[in-house]
């Protein structure tokens, strides 16, 4: 090379120094980085599902420290009297790392104390540590599968740990109780069972079906005008299992009685058997565990018997309905959930509760029902619904059976002033013929509903049912996007009303006389919501409602979630006279379903997913009072808030905040059927 191409000597010296410095840093840093990388990959945190998923939400990142010595940590067992301990050892191999290294990593990266870190390591690798008998006086926790742990029951968390972490049931329970020790009552010499005369102690943080006791009490004070003391008493009365007793003194006294299973007991609108079956199918519980869970959640609904003498309940049998070969697979899950519903109802239909009967509810006008006396409620029904005294008392007792010394049988569902009977059978019907389609909105566009097909009913005057919403024509309440119309019922101040919603109608644009009308919907579920797809006559040929008729393709109220109604109203048959004609079918309303009617000159059939569950036939001889359905009707889609029916159990205001309650509509289709 030419001399001119050589670097000056001082540049070469600087380059050599820089190279040597880099080598020194690499020698120092590579082992440290390798060690950290090894720890990161070998101590990988398990990823648990979020709270929105069906599995329990992610456990807390830190297990609260227990009052144990530094060398011994208590293991929690099913029997507190048999509490044992594990001996910590720094050198035990835990998945390729020493226990000491894993504990240090937990302290550095999860912010745990030394004791909590050791607990966590021993909980994840229980087989690696020697189990030693703990002193008989060692405190323990009492397992309670129904305890609320960050929104999921303890038993659900145990199932998740067993399925996803490979733990045994005992290990899973240890882990859950270690993560949520405050949710489990400690066994002590002072209190394990309340005495017969004990009273519940208020705990504002107790979880009562997803809301704290304090929130529920505040709601009662605000909406029912109760005092703080009365509100707390009400909450403790509705959820007695969530509150400890003040005069606990005994340690091992056996309870004087145990609850007896009754599959027909009504628990918030569903039978105990249906609730237990749901737990078995959706939570993976055994039949016994499902029944125990239901009895724990609704103790007031079950009678007590002597211990050891409770008869063993007959096993629940889920009947599979026979469907034609053309029945789609996605319908099976829906109808299998109905199970033995049909067997219980066939031939055993109950027309109503008789006042003064030897069995069942006994009338007491001073009984308090949601803040008002039974007598006041009955008087309101007499004054506003035209009921007789006996009919009004029957209605009140149907709505609050547990307050009158009886239990509902599950054979009827309280509707607007009358009892709609449960569907007795399902009949497969052919799908609609696409060649007979005469009108539809597929909602395959974006923006406000098509003005050529829909217009709006607007206003906030109660709509004849004391409803709380103001219907608007704003996109804020009705908008089409992503292949669906979404109607939002929101909590917001608007022209003197606390809620807004939308009510879309085809009136003035399109109506039909006879035909098959189908609507594919997913429904809101909050208490206080009242969603409907229905039809009214375009012209009142026989006079104002109900003389000219009404056809409810489907109705659903949030406080009775999962029970969908199909009904007709006429001058002769309507809820004002306690004579409405309708049926109820259980549906998973959190999923899309096709609700439909098939309307001909002599009948109206009601269907869900191509299964007929109700039919209203024209009387012979015919009269307009019973059959006003020979005139054009138009379609209505809406969500109401509160009202005489939707608001019977109050309104959960928080559920209407933000986007509010939403009814999603995939499409509306009308077919000719002749």
């Amino acid at each position: 090379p030419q001399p001119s191409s050589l670097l000056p000597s001082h540049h070469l010296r600087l380059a050599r120094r820089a190279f040597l410095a880099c080598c020194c840093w690499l020698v120092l840093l590579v082992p440290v980085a390798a060690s950290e990388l090894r720890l990161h990959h070998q101590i990988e945190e398990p990823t648990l599902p979020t709270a929105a998923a069906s599995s329990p939400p992610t456990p807390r990142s830190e297990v609260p420290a227990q009052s144990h010595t530094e060398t011994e940590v208590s293991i929690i067992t099913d029997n507190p009297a048999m509490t044992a301990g594990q001996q910590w050892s720094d050198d035990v191999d835990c998945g390729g790392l020493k226990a000491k290294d894993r504990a240090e990593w937990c302290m550095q990266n999860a912010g745990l104390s030394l004791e909590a870190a050791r607990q966590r390591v021993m909980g994840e690798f229980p087989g690696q540590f020697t189990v030693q008998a703990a002193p008989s006086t060692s405190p323990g926790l009492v397992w309670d599968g129904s305890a609320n742990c960050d929104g999921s029951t303890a038993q659900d968390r145990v199932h998740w740990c067993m399925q996803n972490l490979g733990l045994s049931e005992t290990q899973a329970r240890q882990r859950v109780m270690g993560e949520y020790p405050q949710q489990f009552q400690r066994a002590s010499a002072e209190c394990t069972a309340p005495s017969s005369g004990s009273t519940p102690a208020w705990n504002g943080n107790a979880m009562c079906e997803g809301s704290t006791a304090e929130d529920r009490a505040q709601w009662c004070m605000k909406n029912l005008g109760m005092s703080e003391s009365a509100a707390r008493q009400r909450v403790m009365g509705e959820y007695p299992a969530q509150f400890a007793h003040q005069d606990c003194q005994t340690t091992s006294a056996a309870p004087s009685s145990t609850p007896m299973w009754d599959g027909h007991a009504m628990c918030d609108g569903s039978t105990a058997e249906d609730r237990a079956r749901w737990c078995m199918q959706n939570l993976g519980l055994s039949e016994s565990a499902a029944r125990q869970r239901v009895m724990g959640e609704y103790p007031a609904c079950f009678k007590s018997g002597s211990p050891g003498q409770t008869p063993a309940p007959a096993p629940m049998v889920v009947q599979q309905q026979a469907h034609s070969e053309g029945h789609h697979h996605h319908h099976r899950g829906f109808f299998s959930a109905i199970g033995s519903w049909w067997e219980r109802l066939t031939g055993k239909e109950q027309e109503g509760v008789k006042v003064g009967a030897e069995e069942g509810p006994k009338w007491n006008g001073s009984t308090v029902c949601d803040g008002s006396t039974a007598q006041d409620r009955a008087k309101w029904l007499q004054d506003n619904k035209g009921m007789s005294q006996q009919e009004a008392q029957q209605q009140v007792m149907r709505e609050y059976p547990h307050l009158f010394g009886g239990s509902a049988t599950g054979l009827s569902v309280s509707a607007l002033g009358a009892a709609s009977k449960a569907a007795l059978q399902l009949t497969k019907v052919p799908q609609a013929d696409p060649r007979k389609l005469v009108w539809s909105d597929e909602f395959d566009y974006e923006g406000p509903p098509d003005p050529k097909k829909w217009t709006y009913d607007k206003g906030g005057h109660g709509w004849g049912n004391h409803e709380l919403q103001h219907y608007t024509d704003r996109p804020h309440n009705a908008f089409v996007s992503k292949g669906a119309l979404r109607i939002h019922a929101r909590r917001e101040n608007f022209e003197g009303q606390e809620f807004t919603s939308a009510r879309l109608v085809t009136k003035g644009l399109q109506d039909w006389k006879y035909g098959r009308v189908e609507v594919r919907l997913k429904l809101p579920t909050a208490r206080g919501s009242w969603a409907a797809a229905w039809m009214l006559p375009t012209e009142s040929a026989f006079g104002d409602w109900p003389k000219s008729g009404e056809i409810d393709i489907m109705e659903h109220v949030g406080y009775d979630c999962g029970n969908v109604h199909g009904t007709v109203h006429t001058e002769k048959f309507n809820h004002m006279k306690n004579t409405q004609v309708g049926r109820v079918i259980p549906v998973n309303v959190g999923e899309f379903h096709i609700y439909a009617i098939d309307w001909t000159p002599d009948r109206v059939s009601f269907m869900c997913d191509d299964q007929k569950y109700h039919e209203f036939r024209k009387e012979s001889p015919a009269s307009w009072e019973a059959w006003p359905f020979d005139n054009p009707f138009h379609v209505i889609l809406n969500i109401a808030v509160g009202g005489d029916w939707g608001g019977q159990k109050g309104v959960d205001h928080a559920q209407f905040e933000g986007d509010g309650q939403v009814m999603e509509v995939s499409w509306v289709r009308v077919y000719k059927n002749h």
Side-chain angles (χ1 to χ4, degrees), residues 441 445 447-456 505-509:
D441 194 339
Y445 51 90
D450 187 346
K452 296 179 181 179
K453 297 179 178 180
W454 301 98
T455 185
Y456 300 85
V505 300
T506 65
K507 184 177 181 180
L509 299 173

Side-chain angles (χ1 to χ4, degrees), residues 23 25 48 192 214 262 295 299 301 358 364 366 381 408 448 482 485 500 513 536 564 648:
C23 290
W25 277 108
L48 277 72
T192 58
E214 188 61 37
D262 177 8
M295 287 192 287
C301 298
E358 293 183 2
N364 181 356
S366 62
L381 291 172
K482 298 180 181 178
L485 164 68
T500 63
K513 178 181 175 181
L536 282 177
V564 172
Q648 283 186 7

Side-chain angles (χ1 to χ4, degrees), residues 29 95 97 101 162 165 196 200 232 248 252 267 299 306 315 417 437 457 514 524 536 642:
L29 294 177
L97 288 178
D101 293 336
M162 294 170 65
L165 303 181
S196 59
R232 288 182 172 183
C248 297
S252 60
C267 306
S306 301
L437 183 69
D457 282 341
Y514 314 133
L536 282 177

Side-chain angles (χ1 to χ4, degrees), residues 102 112 207 439 590 604:
R102 284 190 174 270
L112 303 185
M207 291 300 296
W439 184 93
V604 180

